Amino acid sequence: MSYLDRDTYGMYKSGDATGPGPSLMGADTLIGEDVYNHREEDLGDIKEIMLDMRSGRIAYAVLSFGGFLGMGEKLFAVPWNALTLDTVNKRFILNVEKERLKDAPGFDKDHWPNMADTTWATGIHSYYGTSPYYDDPL
């Protein structure tokens, strides 16, 4: 199901055609959004979006990968700036091979990491080859 299908308020029906999709999007329409890589491999879907309450920036998308009916699935905090919106297929693109994602630092639903810990964050950004959002000027 794409963000257009979850648009209960009709906010995406009248968008401008100047950018790659809506300029602003509701977080609840992105929960459940599919994530693929450039090889068209399904990498999972977005389970949660983590906001930095001090800066107001989106820090991570929590991606679910593997498992069956929610059992045995692994969760990954993916830096928001590692994702690209694919407006043609109505999904996100993460430029990571499926095999590499299997080995990515992850966690289970009952043991979330402290995502505010800068040591943890540095490791995640290093793994995905992104700059920490808190190092980028606004």
Side-chain angles (χ1 to χ4, degrees), residues 3-54:
Y3 59 86
L4 291 175
D5 299 321
R6 286 187 292 279
D7 182 14
T8 57
Y9 300 111
M11 62 185 134
Y12 306 133
K13 288 185 176 49
S14 61
D16 66 40
T18 60
S23 297
L24 296 173
M25 298 183 77
D28 66 332
T29 61
L30 300 177
I31 303 296
E33 198 68 26
D34 292 331
V35 179
Y36 280 72
N37 64 17
H38 291 293
R39 289 185 160 181
E40 295 293 318
E41 295 174 313
D42 184 356
L43 299 180
D45 63 284
I46 295 176
K47 293 295 185 193
E48 192 58 80
I49 295 174
M50 305 304 293
L51 305 174
D52 181 322
M53 298 308 292
R54 289 187 178 97

Side-chain angles (χ1 to χ4, degrees), residues 77-97:
V78 175
W80 186 253
N81 57 359
L83 296 166
T84 305
L85 182 62
D86 175 356
T87 58
V88 173
N89 296 302
K90 309 297 186 259
R91 62 189 183 192
F92 280 98
I93 300 296
L94 175 61
N95 194 19
V96 171
E97 302 297 323

Side-chain angles (χ1 to χ4, degrees), residues 12 20 43 47 54 59 76 95 100 102 104 109 112 118 127:
Y12 306 133
L43 299 180
K47 293 295 185 193
R54 289 187 178 97
F76 304 90
N95 194 19
R100 181 161 166 74
K102 288 178 183 175
K109 64 182 173 125
W112 285 58
T118 55
Y127 190 85

